[in-house]
Coordinates of all heavy atoms in Angstrom, one line a residue:
M8 N 142.0 81.8 109.3 CA 141.1 80.8 108.6 C 140.4 79.9 109.6 O 139.2 79.7 109.6 CB 141.8 80.0 107.6 CG 140.9 79.2 106.7 SD 139.9 80.3 105.6 CE 138.6 79.4 105.0
V9 N 141.1 79.6 110.7 CA 140.8 78.7 111.7 C 139.7 79.4 112.6 O 138.7 78.8 113.0 CB 141.9 78.1 112.6 CG1 141.3 77.3 113.6 CG2 142.8 77.4 111.7
R10 N 140.0 80.8 112.7 CA 139.1 81.6 113.5 C 137.7 81.7 112.8 O 136.7 81.6 113.6 CB 139.6 82.9 113.7 CG 140.5 83.1 114.9 CD 140.9 84.5 115.1 NE 141.8 84.7 116.2 CZ 142.3 85.9 116.6 NH1 141.9 86.9 115.9 NH2 143.2 85.9 117.5
L11 N 137.7 81.8 111.6 CA 136.4 81.9 110.8 C 135.6 80.7 111.0 O 134.4 80.7 111.2 CB 136.8 82.2 109.4 CG 135.6 82.5 108.5 CD1 135.0 83.9 108.7 CD2 135.9 82.3 107.1
L12 N 136.3 79.7 110.8 CA 135.6 78.2 111.0 C 135.1 78.1 112.4 O 133.9 77.7 112.7 CB 136.6 77.3 110.8 CG 136.0 75.8 110.3 CD1 135.5 75.8 108.9 CD2 137.0 74.7 110.5
L13 N 135.8 78.6 113.4 CA 135.3 78.5 114.8 C 134.0 79.4 114.9 O 133.0 78.8 115.6 CB 136.4 79.1 115.7 CG 136.2 78.7 117.2 CD1 136.5 77.3 117.5 CD2 137.0 79.6 118.1
W14 N 134.0 80.6 114.4 CA 132.9 81.4 114.4 C 131.6 80.8 113.7 O 130.5 80.9 114.3 CB 133.1 82.8 113.7 CG 133.8 83.8 114.7 CD1 135.0 84.1 114.7 CD2 133.2 84.3 115.8 NE1 135.2 85.0 115.8 CE2 134.2 85.1 116.5 CE3 131.8 84.4 116.5 CZ2 133.9 85.8 117.6 CZ3 131.6 85.0 117.6 CH2 132.6 85.8 118.1
V15 N 131.8 80.2 112.6 CA 130.8 79.5 111.9 C 130.1 78.4 112.8 O 129.0 78.3 112.9 CB 131.3 79.0 110.5 CG1 130.3 78.1 109.9 CG2 131.6 80.1 109.6
V16 N 131.0 77.6 113.4 CA 130.6 76.6 114.3 C 129.8 77.2 115.4 O 128.7 76.5 115.7 CB 131.7 75.7 114.7 CG1 131.3 74.7 115.8 CG2 132.3 74.9 113.6
L17 N 130.3 78.2 116.1 CA 129.7 78.8 117.2 C 128.3 79.3 116.8 O 127.3 79.1 117.5 CB 130.6 80.0 117.7 CG 131.5 79.5 118.9 CD1 132.5 80.8 119.2 CD2 130.8 79.3 120.2
I18 N 128.2 80.2 115.7 CA 126.9 80.7 115.3 C 125.9 79.5 115.0 O 124.8 79.6 115.4 CB 127.1 81.6 114.1 CG1 127.9 82.8 114.7 CG2 125.8 81.9 113.5 CD1 128.4 83.7 113.5
G19 N 126.5 78.5 114.3 CA 125.6 77.4 114.0 C 125.0 76.7 115.2 O 123.8 76.4 115.3
A20 N 125.9 76.5 116.2 CA 125.4 75.9 117.4 C 124.4 76.8 118.2 O 123.4 76.4 118.8 CB 126.6 75.7 118.4
A21 N 124.6 78.1 118.1 CA 123.8 79.1 118.8 C 122.3 79.0 118.2 O 121.3 79.0 118.8 CB 124.3 80.5 118.7
V22 N 122.4 79.1 116.8 CA 121.0 79.0 116.1 C 120.4 77.7 116.4 O 119.1 77.6 116.6 CB 121.3 79.2 114.6 CG1 120.1 78.8 113.7 CG2 121.8 80.5 114.2
Y23 N 121.1 76.5 116.5 CA 120.5 75.3 116.8 C 119.9 75.3 118.1 O 118.7 74.9 118.3 CB 121.6 74.2 116.8 CG 121.1 72.8 117.1 CD1 120.3 72.1 116.2 CD2 121.5 72.3 118.3 CE1 120.0 70.8 116.7 CE2 121.0 71.0 118.7 CZ 120.4 70.3 117.8 OH 119.8 69.0 118.2
F24 N 120.6 75.9 119.2 CA 120.0 75.8 120.5 C 118.8 76.9 120.5 O 117.8 76.5 121.3 CB 121.2 76.3 121.5 CG 121.9 75.2 122.0 CD1 123.2 75.0 121.5 CD2 121.4 74.4 123.1 CE1 123.9 73.9 122.1 CE2 122.1 73.3 123.5 CZ 123.4 73.1 123.0
F25 N 118.9 78.0 119.9 CA 117.6 78.9 119.9 C 116.5 78.3 119.3 O 115.4 78.5 119.9 CB 118.0 80.2 119.2 CG 118.7 81.2 120.0 CD1 120.0 81.7 119.8 CD2 118.0 81.8 121.1 CE1 120.5 82.6 120.7 CE2 118.4 82.7 121.8 CZ 119.8 83.2 121.8
K26 N 116.7 77.4 118.2 CA 115.5 76.8 117.6 C 114.9 75.8 118.6 O 113.8 75.6 118.7 CB 115.9 76.2 116.3 CG 115.9 77.1 115.2 CD 116.2 76.4 113.9 CE 116.2 77.3 112.7 NZ 116.5 76.7 111.4
R27 N 115.8 75.0 119.2 CA 115.3 74.0 120.2 C 114.5 74.6 121.3 O 113.5 74.2 121.7 CB 116.4 73.2 120.7 CG 116.8 71.9 119.8 CD 117.9 71.1 120.5 NE 117.4 70.4 121.6 CZ 118.1 69.4 122.3 NH1 119.3 69.3 122.0 NH2 117.6 68.8 123.3
M28 N 115.1 75.8 121.9 CA 114.5 76.4 123.1 C 113.1 77.1 122.6 O 112.2 77.1 123.3 CB 115.4 77.5 123.7 CG 116.5 76.8 124.5 SD 117.7 78.1 125.1 CE 116.7 78.9 126.4
G29 N 113.1 77.6 121.4 CA 111.9 78.1 120.8 C 110.8 77.2 120.7 O 109.7 77.5 121.1
K30 N 111.0 76.1 120.3 CA 110.0 75.0 120.2 C 109.6 74.5 121.6 O 108.4 74.3 121.7 CB 110.6 73.8 119.4 CG 110.5 74.0 118.0 CD 110.9 72.7 117.1 CE 110.7 72.9 115.7 NZ 111.1 71.6 115.1
R31 N 110.5 74.5 122.5 CA 110.2 74.1 123.8 C 109.3 75.0 124.6 O 108.3 74.6 125.3 CB 111.3 73.7 124.6 CG 111.6 72.3 124.7 CD 112.8 72.0 125.7 NE 113.6 70.9 125.4 CZ 114.7 70.5 126.1 NH1 115.0 71.1 127.2 NH2 115.3 69.4 125.6
S32 N 109.5 76.3 124.4 CA 108.8 77.4 125.2 C 107.6 77.7 124.5 O 106.9 78.5 124.9 CB 109.8 78.5 125.4 OG 110.1 79.1 124.1
A33 N 107.3 77.1 123.4 CA 106.0 77.5 122.7 C 105.1 76.3 122.5 O 105.0 75.6 121.5 CB 106.2 78.1 121.2
P34 N 104.3 75.9 123.6 CA 103.5 74.7 123.4 C 102.1 75.1 122.8 O 102.0 76.3 122.3 CB 103.1 74.4 125.0 CG 103.3 75.8 125.7 CD 104.5 76.5 125.0
D35 N 101.2 74.2 122.6 CA 100.1 74.4 121.7 C 99.0 75.2 122.6 O 97.8 75.1 122.1 CB 99.4 73.1 121.3 CG 100.5 72.3 120.4 OD1 101.2 73.0 119.7 OD2 100.4 71.1 120.3
R36 N 99.4 75.9 123.6 CA 98.4 76.6 124.4 C 97.8 77.8 123.6 O 96.7 78.2 123.9 CB 99.0 77.1 125.7 CG 99.2 76.2 126.7 CD 99.6 76.8 128.0 NE 100.1 75.7 128.9 CZ 100.7 76.0 130.0 NH1 101.1 77.3 130.3 NH2 101.0 75.0 130.9
K37 N 98.5 78.3 122.6 CA 97.9 79.3 121.8 C 96.6 79.1 121.1 O 95.9 79.9 120.6 CB 99.0 79.9 120.9 CG 100.1 80.8 121.6 CD 101.1 81.4 120.6 CE 102.1 82.2 121.3 NZ 103.0 82.6 120.4
T38 N 96.3 77.7 120.9 CA 95.2 77.4 120.1 C 93.9 77.6 121.0 O 92.8 77.5 120.4 CB 95.3 75.9 119.7 OG1 95.6 75.1 120.8 CG2 96.3 75.7 118.5
E39 N 94.1 77.7 122.3 CA 92.8 77.9 123.1 C 92.3 79.3 122.8 O 92.9 80.2 122.8 CB 93.2 77.9 124.6 CG 93.5 76.5 125.0 CD 93.9 76.5 126.6 OE1 93.5 77.4 127.3 OE2 94.5 75.6 127.0
P40 N 90.8 79.3 122.8 CA 90.2 80.6 122.6 C 90.4 81.6 123.8 O 90.6 81.2 124.9 CB 88.8 80.2 122.3 CG 88.7 78.9 123.1 CD 90.0 78.3 123.0
P41 N 90.4 82.8 123.5 CA 90.5 83.9 124.7 C 89.3 83.7 125.5 O 88.2 83.3 125.1 CB 90.6 85.1 123.9 CG 90.1 84.9 122.5 CD 90.3 83.4 122.2
E42 N 89.4 84.3 126.6 CA 88.4 84.3 127.7 C 87.1 85.0 127.2 O 85.9 84.7 127.5 CB 88.9 84.9 128.9 CG 88.0 84.6 130.1 CD 88.3 83.2 130.7 OE1 89.4 82.6 130.3 OE2 87.5 82.7 131.5
I43 N 87.3 86.0 126.4 CA 86.1 86.8 126.1 C 85.3 86.1 125.1 O 84.0 86.2 125.1 CB 86.7 88.1 125.4 CG1 87.5 88.9 126.3 CG2 85.4 89.1 125.0 CD1 88.6 89.8 125.6
A44 N 85.8 85.3 124.2 CA 85.1 84.5 123.3 C 84.2 83.5 123.9 O 83.2 83.1 123.4 CB 86.0 83.8 122.3
A45 N 84.5 83.1 125.2 CA 83.7 82.0 125.9 C 82.5 82.6 126.5 O 81.7 81.9 127.0 CB 84.6 81.4 126.9
E46 N 82.5 83.9 126.5 CA 81.3 84.6 127.2 C 80.7 85.5 126.2 O 81.0 86.7 126.0 CB 81.7 85.3 128.4 CG 80.7 85.7 129.4 CD 81.3 86.3 130.6 OE1 82.3 87.0 130.5 OE2 80.6 86.2 131.6
P47 N 79.7 85.1 125.4 CA 79.1 85.9 124.5 C 78.2 87.1 125.1 O 77.6 86.8 126.1 CB 78.3 85.0 123.5 CG 78.0 83.7 124.4 CD 79.1 83.7 125.5
M48 N 78.2 88.1 124.3 CA 77.4 89.3 124.8 C 76.0 89.3 124.1 O 75.8 88.9 123.0 CB 78.1 90.6 124.4 CG 79.5 90.7 125.0 SD 79.5 90.9 126.9 CE 79.1 92.6 127.0
V49 N 74.9 89.6 124.9 CA 73.6 89.7 124.3 C 73.1 91.1 124.6 O 73.7 91.8 125.4 CB 72.6 88.7 125.0 CG1 73.0 87.2 124.4 CG2 72.7 88.7 126.5
R50 N 72.0 91.5 123.9 CA 71.4 92.9 123.9 C 70.1 92.7 124.6 O 69.3 92.0 124.2 CB 71.4 93.4 122.6 CG 71.0 94.8 122.5 CD 71.1 95.3 121.1 NE 70.4 96.5 120.9 CZ 69.2 96.7 120.7 NH1 68.3 95.6 120.5 NH2 68.6 97.8 120.5
C51 N 69.9 93.6 125.5 CA 68.6 93.8 126.2 C 67.5 94.2 125.2 O 67.8 95.3 124.5 CB 68.6 94.7 127.4 SG 67.1 95.0 128.2
A52 N 66.4 93.5 125.1 CA 65.5 93.8 124.2 C 64.7 95.1 124.6 O 64.0 95.8 123.7 CB 64.5 92.7 123.9
H53 N 64.8 95.5 125.8 CA 64.0 96.7 126.3 C 64.9 98.0 126.1 O 64.5 99.0 125.4 CB 63.6 96.5 127.7 CG 62.9 97.6 128.2 ND1 61.5 97.8 127.9 CD2 63.2 98.7 129.0 CE1 61.1 99.0 128.5 NE2 62.1 99.5 129.2
C54 N 66.0 97.9 126.7 CA 66.9 99.2 126.8 C 68.0 99.2 125.8 O 68.8 100.1 125.6 CB 67.3 99.5 128.2 SG 68.4 98.3 128.9
G55 N 68.4 98.0 125.3 CA 69.5 97.8 124.3 C 70.9 97.8 124.9 O 71.9 97.9 124.2
V56 N 71.0 97.5 126.2 CA 72.2 97.5 126.8 C 72.8 96.1 126.6 O 72.1 95.1 126.6 CB 72.3 97.9 128.4 CG1 71.6 96.6 129.3 CG2 73.5 98.2 128.9
H57 N 74.1 96.1 126.5 CA 74.8 94.8 126.1 C 75.3 94.3 127.5 O 76.0 95.0 128.3 CB 76.0 95.0 125.1 CG 75.5 95.1 123.8 ND1 75.0 96.4 123.3 CD2 75.3 94.3 122.8 CE1 74.7 96.2 122.1 NE2 74.9 95.0 121.8
L58 N 75.2 92.9 127.8 CA 75.7 92.3 128.9 C 75.9 90.9 128.6 O 75.5 90.2 127.7 CB 74.6 92.4 130.0 CG 73.2 91.6 129.9 CD1 72.8 91.5 131.3 CD2 72.2 92.4 129.1
P59 N 76.8 90.2 129.5 CA 77.1 88.8 129.2 C 75.9 87.9 129.4 O 75.0 88.1 130.2 CB 78.1 88.5 130.5 CG 78.5 89.8 130.9 CD 77.6 90.8 130.7
R60 N 75.9 86.9 128.5 CA 74.7 86.0 128.5 C 74.4 85.3 129.8 O 73.3 85.2 130.0 CB 75.0 85.0 127.3 CG 73.6 84.6 126.8 CD 73.9 83.7 125.4 NE 74.6 82.6 125.6 CZ 74.9 81.7 124.7 NH1 74.6 81.9 123.4 NH2 75.7 80.6 125.0
D61 N 75.3 84.9 130.5 CA 75.1 84.2 131.8 C 74.5 85.1 132.8 O 73.9 84.7 133.7 CB 76.3 83.5 132.2 CG 77.4 84.5 132.5 OD1 77.4 85.6 132.1 OD2 78.3 84.1 133.3
R62 N 74.5 86.4 132.6 CA 73.9 87.4 133.5 C 72.5 87.9 133.0 O 71.8 88.5 133.7 CB 74.8 88.5 133.6 CG 75.9 88.3 134.6 CD 76.2 89.6 135.5 NE 77.5 89.9 135.5 CZ 78.1 91.2 135.6 NH1 77.2 92.2 135.9 NH2 79.3 91.3 135.7
A63 N 72.3 87.7 131.8 CA 70.9 88.0 131.1 C 69.8 87.1 131.4 O 70.0 85.8 131.6 CB 71.2 88.4 129.6
L64 N 68.7 87.6 131.3 CA 67.4 86.8 131.5 C 66.8 86.6 130.1 O 66.6 87.5 129.3 CB 66.3 87.6 132.4 CG 66.9 87.9 133.7 CD1 66.0 88.9 134.4 CD2 66.8 86.7 134.6
S65 N 66.6 85.3 129.7 CA 66.1 84.9 128.4 C 64.6 84.7 128.5 O 64.1 84.2 129.5 CB 66.8 83.7 127.9 OG 66.5 82.6 128.7
L66 N 64.0 85.0 127.4 CA 62.5 84.9 127.3 C 62.2 84.3 125.9 O 62.5 84.9 124.9 CB 61.8 86.3 127.6 CG 60.3 86.2 127.6 CD1 59.8 85.5 128.8 CD2 59.7 87.6 127.4
E67 N 61.5 83.3 125.9 CA 61.0 82.7 124.6 C 59.8 83.4 124.2 O 58.9 83.4 124.8 CB 60.8 81.2 124.7 CG 62.1 80.2 125.0 CD 63.0 80.2 123.8 OE1 62.7 80.5 122.7 OE2 64.2 79.6 124.0
S68 N 59.9 83.9 122.9 CA 58.7 84.5 122.4 C 58.5 84.1 120.9 O 59.2 83.2 120.4 CB 58.9 86.0 122.3 OG 59.9 86.3 121.4
N69 N 57.3 84.5 120.2 CA 57.0 84.0 119.0 C 58.0 84.5 117.9 O 58.0 83.9 116.9 CB 55.6 84.4 118.5 CG 55.3 85.8 118.9 OD1 56.2 86.6 119.3 ND2 54.1 86.4 118.7
V70 N 58.7 85.5 118.1 CA 59.7 86.1 117.3 C 61.1 85.4 117.5 O 62.1 85.8 116.8 CB 59.8 87.5 117.3 CG1 58.5 88.2 116.7 CG2 60.0 88.1 118.7
G71 N 61.2 84.6 118.6 CA 62.5 84.0 118.9 C 63.0 84.4 120.3 O 62.1 84.8 121.1
K72 N 64.2 84.0 120.8 CA 64.6 84.2 121.9 C 65.0 85.6 122.2 O 65.7 86.2 121.4 CB 65.8 83.3 122.3 CG 66.0 83.0 123.8 CD 67.0 81.9 123.9 CE 67.0 81.2 125.3 NZ 67.7 80.1 125.5
Q73 N 64.5 86.2 123.2 CA 64.9 87.6 123.6 C 65.6 87.6 124.9 O 65.3 86.8 125.8 CB 63.7 88.5 123.7 CG 63.1 88.7 122.3 CD 61.8 89.6 122.4 OE1 60.9 89.4 123.2 NE2 61.7 90.5 121.4
W74 N 66.5 88.6 125.1 CA 67.2 88.8 126.2 C 67.0 89.9 126.9 O 66.7 91.0 126.4 CB 68.7 88.6 125.9 CG 69.2 87.4 125.2 CD1 69.2 87.1 124.0 CD2 69.5 86.2 126.0 NE1 69.6 85.7 123.9 CE2 69.8 85.2 125.0 CE3 69.7 85.8 127.3 CZ2 70.2 83.9 125.4 CZ3 70.2 84.6 127.6 CH2 70.4 83.6 126.7
Y75 N 67.1 90.0 128.3 CA 66.8 91.2 129.1 C 67.8 91.4 130.1 O 68.3 90.3 130.7 CB 65.3 91.1 129.7 CG 64.2 91.2 128.6 CD1 63.7 89.9 128.2 CD2 63.8 92.4 128.2 CE1 62.7 90.0 127.2 CE2 62.9 92.4 127.2 CZ 62.3 91.2 126.7 OH 61.2 91.3 125.7
C76 N 68.1 92.6 130.5 CA 69.2 92.8 131.4 C 68.6 92.6 132.9 O 69.5 92.4 133.8 CB 69.8 94.2 131.3 SG 68.6 95.6 131.6
S77 N 67.3 92.7 133.1 CA 66.8 92.7 134.5 C 65.3 92.0 134.4 O 64.9 92.1 133.3 CB 66.8 94.1 135.2 OG 66.0 94.9 134.4
Q78 N 64.9 91.7 135.6 CA 63.5 91.2 135.7 C 62.5 92.3 135.2 O 61.4 92.0 134.7 CB 63.3 90.8 137.1 CG 61.8 90.2 137.3 CD 61.8 88.8 136.8 OE1 62.8 88.1 136.8 NE2 60.6 88.4 136.2
T79 N 62.7 93.6 135.6 CA 61.8 94.7 135.3 C 61.7 94.8 133.8 O 60.6 95.0 133.4 CB 62.5 96.0 135.9 OG1 63.0 95.8 137.2 CG2 61.5 97.1 136.1
H80 N 62.8 94.8 133.2 CA 62.8 95.1 131.7 C 62.1 93.9 131.0 O 61.5 94.0 130.0 CB 64.2 95.3 131.2 CG 64.7 96.6 131.4 ND1 65.8 97.1 131.0 CD2 64.0 97.7 132.0 CE1 66.0 98.4 131.3 NE2 64.9 98.7 132.0
M81 N 62.2 92.7 131.6 CA 61.6 91.4 131.1 C 60.1 91.6 131.2 O 59.3 91.2 130.3 CB 62.0 90.2 131.8 CG 61.7 88.9 131.0 SD 62.7 87.5 131.7 CE 61.6 87.1 133.0
E82 N 59.6 92.2 132.3 CA 58.2 92.4 132.4 C 57.7 93.4 131.5 O 56.4 93.5 131.1 CB 57.9 92.8 133.9 CG 58.0 91.6 134.8 CD 58.1 91.9 136.3 OE1 58.0 93.2 136.6 OE2 58.3 91.0 137.2
Q83 N 58.5 94.5 131.4 CA 58.0 95.6 130.5 C 58.1 95.3 128.9 O 57.4 95.8 128.2 CB 59.0 96.8 130.7 CG 58.6 97.4 132.0 CD 59.6 98.6 132.3 OE1 60.6 98.7 131.8 NE2 59.4 99.2 133.5
G84 N 58.8 94.2 128.7 CA 58.9 93.7 127.3 C 59.8 94.6 126.3 O 60.5 95.4 126.8
P85 N 59.8 94.3 125.1 CA 60.7 94.9 124.1 C 60.5 96.4 124.1 O 59.2 96.9 124.2 CB 60.3 94.3 122.8 CG 59.6 93.1 123.2 CD 58.9 93.3 124.3
G86 N 61.5 97.1 124.0 CA 61.5 98.6 124.0 C 60.7 99.1 122.6 O 60.7 98.5 121.7
S87 N 60.1 100.3 122.7 CA 59.4 100.8 121.6 C 60.4 101.6 120.8 O 59.9 101.9 119.6 CB 58.3 101.7 122.1 OG 58.8 102.7 123.0
R88 N 61.5 102.0 121.2 CA 62.3 102.8 120.3 C 63.2 102.0 119.3 O 64.2 101.5 119.6 CB 63.2 103.7 121.2 CG 64.0 103.0 122.3 CD 64.9 103.9 122.9 NE 65.7 103.1 123.8 CZ 67.0 103.5 124.3 NH1 67.4 104.7 123.8 NH2 67.6 102.8 125.1
D89 N 62.5 101.6 118.2 CA 63.1 100.8 117.2 C 63.9 101.6 116.3 O 63.4 102.7 115.9 CB 62.1 100.0 116.4 CG 61.6 98.8 117.3 OD1 62.4 98.1 118.0 OD2 60.5 98.5 117.3
R90 N 65.0 101.2 115.9 CA 65.9 102.0 114.9 C 65.7 101.5 113.5 O 65.6 100.4 113.3 CB 67.3 102.0 115.3 CG 67.6 103.2 116.2 CD 69.1 103.3 116.5 NE 69.4 102.5 117.7 CZ 70.6 102.2 118.1 NH1 71.6 102.5 117.5 NH2 70.8 101.6 119.3
Ligands
LIG106 ZN1 67.3 96.5 129.9

């Protein structure tokens, strides 16, 4: 009977320590957004290739903002192959 009580105390202490350690090793860093979400992808209006927005060239037009993958495609304008 004494042994059983000892086991109960031991398991209880182990569970208590695991809970404390679990809380300590899990800070609020998980709430940070992933790296990919901070870099939105845009589509080249000429060739349709996707690239990070900070690498793309933007052009304001009457239909809105358009993105291009390169200076050449920006000069050539939106592609004719519409889907
Ligand atoms: Zn392009």
Side-chain angles (χ1 to χ4, degrees):
M8 194 63 196
V9 181
R10 270 192 189 177
L11 186 76
L12 204 74
L13 195 75
W14 274 111
V15 169
V16 171
L17 264 170
I18 290 163
V22 168
Y23 175 75
F24 271 105
F25 269 115
K26 276 190 180 174
R27 269 184 76 177
M28 281 176 79
K30 273 190 180 178
R31 260 191 209 174
S32 61
D35 295 334
R36 279 185 191 170
K37 280 185 180 178
T38 51
E39 280 181 25
E42 197 77 16
I43 303 155
E46 201 173 26
M48 302 290 278
V49 290
R50 188 174 165 273
C51 175
H53 182 80
C54 63
V56 78
H57 286 81
L58 68 158
R60 199 168 68 183
D61 58 345
R62 280 214 228 156
L64 298 161
S65 64
L66 185 74
E67 293 286 351
S68 68
N69 49 3
V70 289
K72 202 167 200 173
Q73 286 181 317
W74 297 92
Y75 294 95
C76 65
S77 61
Q78 184 72 38
T79 318
H80 282 180
M81 195 167 84
E82 284 164 4
Q83 285 171 358
S87 54
R88 46 175 192 158
D89 286 319
R90 264 186 271 170

